[in-house]
Every structure is written in structure tokens, then in C-alpha cells.
Amino acid sequence: MFSGNDPADGDVVIESLRATAYRLPTPVPEGDGTLEWNATTMVYVEATANGTTGSGWTYCGAGAADVVNEVLAEVVPGRAALDVPGAWLAMQQRIRNLGRPGVVSCALSAADIALWDLAARLTGLPLSRLLGKVRDSAPVYGSGGFTTYDDSRLQTQLEDWVGGQGIPRVKIKIGESWGGAVRRDLARVRFAREVIGPSAELYVDANGAYQAGQAIRVGERLAESDVRWFEEPVSSDDLAGLRRIREGVLPDVAAGEYGYDLPYFGRMVAAEAVDCLQIDVTRCGGYTEWFRAAAVAAAANLQVSAHCAPNLSVHAAVCTPNFRHIEWFADHDRLERLFFEGTVPPDGGLARPDLGACGHGLVFLPEEAGRYRVR
């Protein structure tokens, strides 16, 4: 029973939904102001229909694969493959007792992305055409600059982005030791500015490490290095603190990457907490929920920025009128280039989806990824 959403005669129906998980070690230990890690975990989802496979993925704990295989896969097969919003609603209703935020929403997101990719491939369209393209390309910024990097490694990464790939926007991590190393934070910001020169835009991300008053004092010093973007100066749950900082510093204040449902974004926008709303397509509920969140931002005359998962984000980016840029995150860029064929280069600071390929255009490489499979 599909509650009035049964497939019609002649509809291609979804046959299966399946997830696997992979864990790729980082080249060196990495960290930001509040967390350290040594690997990147990707949960990969495939949806099949009529001999065609669509795929999506998310970056989170491997348990998201169990949510797909044991919960979401119960309600998706048998539905019309082109009725993706209906499948999304069925999945959203099915996870009620599991709770929406976190791993469960990441599983929902990856499944939704796979279903949209499947629909695009079945119709012979590039995904951005199916979703509704409004521009040909989207600006990107290089993202990494981990607090665990020494000056030499940081310099190499920055020079590759700005000089090697021509990306005119870069972001580094600050807020080291939960805001306990402000002098080093500011020294690294000054160093980054020296490396990239006066023309490239410099962004920073504190990952919620500071307290509000401390963040305002840091923000005053950031202006000395012409920092344009101050991400999560305090916890994204501290909406009053974000607004206070926004009113007290020159750089744009940004947050939103931990939005797992639409009410989260509604609260952040209503609180006037940010200058630009971040959305992660692999966390928020996939493309279906992305566009609803972007509309919430647009109603308040705010732009949105895509958090990570660059080769999936680019398709949402070119279909969103109030869009600013994509975070071209180093760890995800590395994994996607290793695990997939057809990835999009960010050369010149712009990413363009391949309009000559159906769906999102990426082809999974099971032999490459298989060495890192964990579930």
C-alpha cells in the first residue's frame, strides 16, 4: 500500500535500494578546533530500476548503511522511479521512531540522491537539467587548512589551490584546542594571507570552538588580514551568540552545516544568526530537502553555500538561484577522485556539471573502493 501513490500502468518501478560503507585513511592525521580524525567514511547507496542504477552517498558513520538496508529499503522498492518526492516522503515517515537528525538523516540524504540520479538516468537527462538548471557553473572555495598542519604543509595546500588550480577563495581551520590557542590561530591566518597574496579571498572556520565574546575579539583581528568569512565562530546551536557575533564583526558569519531537517534551517534564518546559510546535501535530506531549505533562505534574502561533498553539491548549486559557493573540501575531493570516474575539476574557481552525461555523471569504481570497504 502506497497511500494513494501507487505506480501507474507502464511506470518503471524501483527494484532495490542498497548501501555499503567505505573508510579511506587520510594522508596524515587531521583536525580542526574541536575534533581530530584519521579517516573519511563514505556510505554509498545504489537504487536500481529497469537495468539502470542511480547512486548517492553521504559522509558519516557506517551505521547509515544499516539504516538504508534495514529501514529505507522496506518502503522504496515497488514505487514509481520518477516519483522521487513520493519516495522521500515515504522514507521520512518510516524513520519517525528512529529520530531525524544525525546518521538517520544522512542515510535519507544518500538514498534521496541515489533516487534522483536514477530518475535522471532513466529519462536520459543530466541531473542538473532534471532538477532545473539556472546557471552553467558555480564558484568554489578550497577548504582544508587543518590545525594539525605545519606551515610547510599549509603553504603547499594553499599554493596548490590558488596558484595551481586558480581557485581565488580558500579556507583554513582556526579555534585550535577549543579556542585555547588564539595566538596560533591568528598567526596562521596572517601566514595564510601572506601565502595567497592580497587578491584571493581568505575564509576561516572555528568549528564552534569559541565563546561569543571571544569570537568577537578574534573577529576584530581577522579583519586585519581581510578575512571575508567567519564560519561557526560559536556552536551552531547558539543562535543568539551567532547573531551577537554577526552584529559585531566585519566578516560574514556562516553556519548551517549541521542542519538535518527543515525546522533547523527555519530557526537559524528566523534568528537572523547568519549572513549566509550553509546546507549539506548529504545531511539535510538530499536534493529534495535542499531546495526547501534554500527557499527558506531566499525568503529572508539570504544566499546559501554548499557544505562539502563537492561532486554532489555542484548539481544543487547550479539549480539554486540564491547560491554563493561550494566548499571544495580536501578530504571529500580526494575520496571522490579515487572512488569515482567523471569527477568535476574546480579549475579557475568554478565547477561545471557535465551536461553530456546522464544523472550526476559519476561512475563508481568498485575495485578502487573495495579495498576500503567496512560494511
Side-chain angles (χ1 to χ4, degrees):
M1 296 290 293
F2 294 120
S3 302
N5 198 21
D6 295 333
D9 290 343
D11 280 347
V12 174
V13 299
I14 302 164
E15 296 161 2
S16 68
L17 190 71
R18 177 176 177 271
T20 48
Y22 306 84
R23 186 171 173 84
L24 177 69
T26 55
V28 297
E30 297 174 352
D32 55 38
T34 59
L35 188 68
E36 294 185 354
W37 61 92
N38 57 19
T40 302
T41 301
M42 180 191 77
V43 173
Y44 175 73
V45 177
E46 290 185 335
T48 62
N50 199 32
T52 300
T53 299
S55 66
W57 57 93
T58 185
Y59 295 98
C60 71
D66 296 335
V67 176
V68 173
N69 293 330
E70 298 174 12
V71 180
L72 303 183
E74 292 182 350
V75 296
V76 170
R79 306 187 69 89
L82 300 187
D83 294 345
V84 180
W88 184 94
L89 182 61
M91 292 189 291
Q92 189 267 340
Q93 292 172 340
R94 182 63 180 81
I95 62 176
R96 185 195 70 182
N97 288 350
L98 298 180
R100 175 67 186 272
V103 167
V104 173
S105 188
C106 289
L108 172 64
S109 301
D112 179 80
I113 292 166
L115 292 171
W116 277 110
D117 183 47
L118 174 63
R121 292 175 190 268
L122 287 170
T123 55
L125 290 172
L127 182 56
S128 61
R129 295 284 194 200
L130 183 64
L131 294 174
K133 188 165 69 75
V134 296
R135 60 173 59 83
D136 294 327
S137 62
V140 309
Y141 66 88
S143 173
F146 305 113
T147 57
T148 49
Y149 281 6
D150 60 19
D151 285 353
S152 176
R153 184 174 288 274
L154 178 60
Q155 180 173 351
T156 297
Q157 188 177 64
L158 292 170
E159 288 178 342
D160 178 62
W161 285 331
V162 177
Q165 299 182 66
I167 300 174
R169 308 163 205 89
V170 298
K171 186 176 78 180
I172 68 169
K173 301 289 191 179
I174 61 171
E176 184 177 349
S177 302
W178 285 91
V182 172
R183 288 188 178 181
R184 183 169 189 257
D185 290 341
L186 295 175
R188 293 178 71 251
V189 170
R190 291 191 296 270
F191 178 76
R193 172 53 71 193
E194 292 173 3
V195 171
I196 67 175
S199 299
E201 294 184 19
L202 180 58
Y203 302 166
V204 299
D205 183 356
N207 289 101
Y210 299 127
Q211 298 299 304
Q214 181 187 27
I216 292 172
R217 293 189 293 274
V218 171
E220 291 171 350
R221 299 295 303 278
L222 294 178
E224 298 171 6
S225 297
D226 192 22
V227 172
R228 305 290 182 86
W229 173 275
F230 196 179
E231 185 175 327
E232 282 195 318
V234 295
S235 167
S236 56
D237 293 328
D238 183 5
L239 299 181
L242 285 170
R243 179 171 179 173
R244 178 182 165 195
I245 296 162
R246 184 187 181 200
E247 293 171 346
V249 302
L250 286 178
D252 277 359
V253 170
E257 67 185 70
Y258 297 109
Y260 294 107
D261 56 28
L262 195 63
Y264 172 100
F265 298 107
R267 290 191 297 270
M268 185 166 281
V269 170
E272 299 182 349
V274 294
D275 294 291
C276 185
L277 183 69
Q278 292 179 285
I279 313 174
D280 188 324
V281 72
T282 72
R283 290 177 177 171
C284 72
Y287 294 123
T288 298
E289 194 82 308
W290 164 285
F291 292 107
R292 299 170 72 196
V296 169
N301 297 307
L302 290 178
Q303 291 181 314
V304 300
S305 176
H307 175 260
C308 296
N311 284 279
L312 295 178
S313 295
V314 65
H315 302 280
V318 298
C319 298
T320 303
N322 56 317
F323 189 79
R324 186 178 296 194
H325 44 39
I326 301 170
E327 179 173 7
W328 213 265
F329 185 52
D331 286 354
H332 295 178
D333 176 45
R334 173 173 170 261
L335 183 148
E336 289 171 6
R337 285 188 287 107
L338 179 63
F339 285 10
F340 296 91
E341 184 179 88
T343 55
V344 177
D347 295 343
L350 293 172
R352 298 174 176 83
D354 182 2
L355 297 182
C358 294
H360 53 49
L362 287 101
V363 178
F364 187 59
L365 303 174
E367 291 185 1
E368 292 293 336
R371 293 178 290 165
Y372 305 101
R373 183 170 172 175
V374 293
R375 190 162 303 181

